[in-house]
Every structure is written in C-alpha cells, then in structure tokens.
C-alpha cells in the first residue's frame, strides 16, 4: 500500500487510462470527432491552436483536482492524480507511436469505436476509484455550493463544449457523430460501473414460503431472506422471500416455486452488481477469483 492505495486499483487505472487515450488519439483525433468535458476542451485547443492535448489535460485538470480534493477524499485524490498524468503520458506516447486507422469514409464506425474505447477506459478508471479530473469534480463543487444535480451540471458543461466545437472546428455532420460517440461512451461507462455480472432478484409471496425457501436452499444452494409482510387489502400477515440468483438460474428458480405453489406471486428484477457469499465470496468468506 502507498498512502493506503491498492496496487490493483493503480494497475487498472493505468490500464483504463491507456484504453481511453488510445481511443482518443486513434478514433477521435484521427477522424475529427470532438468530445465532452475537459477532454473536449483539449481537442478543441488541439484543432484550433495545435496545442498538445496531453499537456493541456494536465494544465486544465490538476488545478481543478487540487480545488476539489476535500470533496474527493485522500484516496480518490491520489487515484485521480495518477489517472490524469497517466492519460497525458499515454496520449503523448500514442501520438508518437500512432497506428493509422482512417475511418473518415465510415464515420459511423469511427463514432462507435470512439465511444467504446472512451467508455471502457473511463469505466475502468471510475470502477477502481479514480477519475480523470475535469467535469465530474466541477459538478460535485456546483452541487455542493449551488445545489444543481451532478447530472444537470455535467450535461450543461458537456453540451457547451460540444456546441463550441461545432461552431469552431467541427462541421454539423461531425458534430452529430460526436454526439453518437458521447452517448455510446456514457452507456458503456454505465455497463462497467453496474457490473459485468448481471443477476436477478426475486421477491416471492406465498402461503408456502417455508417450503419454497427450503427447496431453494437445498436444490439451488442459494440463500433466502425472509421478510415480514402484510397485505394492505386483507391485512393478512405473510412471509415475503427475497432471493438473488444468477441470470442463468432464473428459469430453475421459477420451476422450483411453481412445483410448490403455482399461485405464488413472484416479482423478478435485474440486479447489476452483486457482492457477498455465493457471488464474490465463497462459503469461507474468501474472495472468488473469476
């Protein structure tokens, strides 16, 4: 540990920074696509004044990071500092050792890959406790002192940067493809943040809840939480079962329930990130390595 930082987190922040920077250089810059946030400002300065985006990334982000360090906390501050400098270094390296990926004749593909690479890179950085500085820190400050939601603040800032890019160096077509890339990146970030392991949560209401819970535990080796419920219409008290299973186990769970009580009420919801025994911990409470 360094300042209570984890080497695993540092490794993945560096990996995310490399992926993000690769996409930025090879898909955004090569194909004249903009970007939102401070990254969009660095591209704006590159295309207008030929200022190095790696250097601009540091000059823009570090002051904001220092201003917002109290909000971030010590660990996130240092992780973000690593992320900012790593992104700048990788941008510099990829500009020297560039792979020519000319997709100007297929901007749909360029926007798709730009969004995926930026989204995967940022998603990994966020998932392991870092940021790349910029808008998310400003959004936290605006939320704290002016009461705006973070989503609103980020949307306004990103929109202003993209709009400025359109009226300065992007044409309308490039601006629209930039919006497509930004949207794809946002969706990919959400996917990584929510967790690649998608599970299902089942809420079960039945007069035979005890038998159902026993069968789930015995046949599926899944834990069941018993909650006390009361019907608002009848006033009748009844046990409510809650169980989380893998996505591929949901049909089996329904079959177990149906075999005991075909009239049971079952509500199934998506669970995006599951922590705990049976998912991230084994029966001895030790982490499961996937």
């Amino acid at each position: 540990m360094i300042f209570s930082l984890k080497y695993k987190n540092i490794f993945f922040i560096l990996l995310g920074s490399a992926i993000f920077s690769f996409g930025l250089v090879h898909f955004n810059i090569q194909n004249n696509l903009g970007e939102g946030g401070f990254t969009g400002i660095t591209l704006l300065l590159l295309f207008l004044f030929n200022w190095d985006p790696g250097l601009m990334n540091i000059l823009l982000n570090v002051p904001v990071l220092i201003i917002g360090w109290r909000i971030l906390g010590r660990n996130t501050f240092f992780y973000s500092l690593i992320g900012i400098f790593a992104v700048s270094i990788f941008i510099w390296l990829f500009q020297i050792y560039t792979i020519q990926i000319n997709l100007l004749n297929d901007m749909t593909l360029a926007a798709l890959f730009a969004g995926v690479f930026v989204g995967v890179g940022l998603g990994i950085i966020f998932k392991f406790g870092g940021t790349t500085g910029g808008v998310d820190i400003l959004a936290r400050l605006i939320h704290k002192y002016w009461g705006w939601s973070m989503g609103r603040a980020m949307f306004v800032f990103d929109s202003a940067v993209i709009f400025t890019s359109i009226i300065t160096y992007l044409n309308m077509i490039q601006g629209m493809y930039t919006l497509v890339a930004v949207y794809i990146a946002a969706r990919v970030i959400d996917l990584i943040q929510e967790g690649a392991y998608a599970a299902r949560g089942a809420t079960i209401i039945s007069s035979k809840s005890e038998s159902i819970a026993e069968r789930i535990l015995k046949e599926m080796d899944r834990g069941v939480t018993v909650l006390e419920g009361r019907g608002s219409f009848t006033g009748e008290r009844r046990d409510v079962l809650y169980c989380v299973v893998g996505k591929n186990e949901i049909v089996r769970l329904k079959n177990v329930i149906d075999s005991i009580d075909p009239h049971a009420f079952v509500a199934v919801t998506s669970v995006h990130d599951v922590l705990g025994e049976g998912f991230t911990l084994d029966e001895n409470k030790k982490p499961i390595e996937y």
Side-chain angles (χ1 to χ4, degrees), residues 130-144:
T131 72
T132 54
V135 178
D136 52 336
I137 298 175
L138 284 180
R140 295 186 195 195
L141 291 170
I142 292 171
H143 173 69
K144 180 177 181 179

Side-chain angles (χ1 to χ4, degrees), residues 62-75:
V62 170
V64 176
L65 186 63
I66 293 172
I67 293 170
W69 76 274
R70 289 184 180 275
I71 295 177
L72 295 174
R74 188 177 67 172
N75 278 9

Side-chain angles (χ1 to χ4, degrees), residues 132-207:
T132 54
V135 178
D136 52 336
I137 298 175
L138 284 180
R140 295 186 195 195
L141 291 170
I142 292 171
H143 173 69
K144 180 177 181 179
Y145 293 108
W146 284 283
W148 283 25
S149 70
M150 287 187 62
R152 180 185 176 190
M154 294 177 74
F155 175 78
V156 170
F157 194 92
D158 285 346
S159 299
V161 172
I162 293 173
F163 178 74
T164 304
S165 300
I166 292 173
I167 64 177
T168 51
Y169 75 94
L170 296 178
N171 60 40
M172 188 58 67
I173 300 298
Q174 292 168 338
M176 288 190 289
Y177 277 115
T178 293
L179 292 174
V180 172
V182 169
Y183 175 78
I184 292 172
R187 298 304 302 158
V188 173
I189 289 170
D190 287 343
L191 178 65
I192 294 176
Q193 287 288 90
E194 290 169 353
Y197 187 94
R200 295 291 182 266
T203 302
I204 308 159
I205 302 175
S206 169
S207 58

Side-chain angles (χ1 to χ4, degrees), residues 197-202 204 215-223 243-258 266 268-269 271 274 277-279 290:
Y197 187 94
R200 295 291 182 266
I204 308 159
R215 284 275 299 277
I216 293 173
L217 182 62
K218 190 174 182 179
E219 295 184 16
M220 300 185 64
D221 196 28
R222 291 295 185 190
C243 178
V244 176
V245 299
K247 187 168 61 174
N248 60 332
E249 296 176 302
I250 193 64
V251 173
R252 186 180 174 193
L253 175 66
K254 290 178 180 178
N255 290 337
V256 168
I257 297 168
D258 187 64
V266 182
V268 179
T269 57
V271 180
V274 188
E277 187 175 341
F279 294 92
Y290 290 104

Side-chain angles (χ1 to χ4, degrees), residues 18 47 58 93 104-105 125 130 149 155-156 177 196 210 250 261 263:
F47 286 111
I58 293 175
L93 286 174
L104 289 173
N105 294 323
I125 292 171
S149 70
F155 175 78
V156 170
Y177 277 115
E210 190 173 333
I250 193 64
D261 184 3
H263 305 292

Side-chain angles (χ1 to χ4, degrees), residues 6-276:
K6 296 181 179 179
Y7 291 117
K8 176 183 176 182
N9 290 38
I10 294 173
F11 170 79
F12 279 103
I13 289 171
L14 293 175
L15 176 64
S17 299
I19 294 171
F20 170 79
S21 302
F22 182 91
L24 199 66
V25 171
H26 292 89
F27 297 107
N28 290 78
I29 294 177
Q30 284 190 24
N31 298 285
N32 296 327
L33 290 175
E35 183 58 62
F38 275 27
T39 303
I41 296 177
T42 65
L43 296 182
L44 182 67
L45 295 174
L46 169 67
F47 286 111
L48 290 181
F49 306 110
N50 200 31
W51 291 356
D52 181 68
L55 178 60
M56 288 300 103
N57 181 64
I58 293 175
L59 294 179
L60 289 172
N61 280 304
V62 170
V64 176
L65 186 63
I66 293 172
I67 293 170
W69 76 274
R70 289 184 180 275
I71 295 177
L72 295 174
R74 188 177 67 172
N75 278 9
T76 303
F77 173 81
F78 282 108
Y79 284 142
S80 299
L81 204 59
I82 292 169
I84 290 170
F85 279 93
V87 164
S88 293
I89 291 170
F90 281 120
I91 288 175
W92 174 71
L93 286 174
F94 287 132
Q95 284 182 306
I96 295 174
Y97 305 101
T98 304
I99 302 171
Q100 291 301 322
I101 308 175
N102 190 340
L103 295 174
L104 289 173
N105 294 323
D106 192 347
M107 292 299 290
T108 301
L109 205 57
L112 174 63
F113 274 91
V116 169
F117 271 82
V118 169
V120 170
L122 289 178
I124 292 173
I125 292 171
F126 295 159
K127 189 174 181 67
F128 287 91
T131 72
T132 54
V135 178
D136 52 336
I137 298 175
L138 284 180
R140 295 186 195 195
L141 291 170
I142 292 171
H143 173 69
K144 180 177 181 179
Y145 293 108
W146 284 283
W148 283 25
S149 70
M150 287 187 62
R152 180 185 176 190
M154 294 177 74
F155 175 78
V156 170
F157 194 92
D158 285 346
S159 299
V161 172
I162 293 173
F163 178 74
T164 304
S165 300
I166 292 173
I167 64 177
T168 51
Y169 75 94
L170 296 178
N171 60 40
M172 188 58 67
I173 300 298
Q174 292 168 338
M176 288 190 289
Y177 277 115
T178 293
L179 292 174
V180 172
V182 169
Y183 175 78
I184 292 172
R187 298 304 302 158
V188 173
I189 289 170
D190 287 343
L191 178 65
I192 294 176
Q193 287 288 90
E194 290 169 353
Y197 187 94
R200 295 291 182 266
T203 302
I204 308 159
I205 302 175
S206 169
S207 58
K208 301 177 181 178
S209 57
E210 190 173 333
S211 299
I212 293 173
E214 186 178 339
R215 284 275 299 277
I216 293 173
L217 182 62
K218 190 174 182 179
E219 295 184 16
M220 300 185 64
D221 196 28
R222 291 295 185 190
V224 180
T225 299
V226 182
L227 309 171
E228 292 185 1
R230 181 173 61 86
S232 62
F233 180 72
T234 63
E236 180 183 352
R237 294 189 177 276
R238 185 171 293 181
D239 287 341
V240 178
L241 307 180
Y242 182 73
C243 178
V244 176
V245 299
K247 187 168 61 174
N248 60 332
E249 296 176 302
I250 193 64
V251 173
R252 186 180 174 193
L253 175 66
K254 290 178 180 178
N255 290 337
V256 168
I257 297 168
D258 187 64
S259 67
I260 298 172
D261 184 3
H263 305 292
F265 177 85
V266 182
V268 179
T269 57
S270 294
V271 180
H272 295 291
D273 206 0
V274 188
L275 307 175

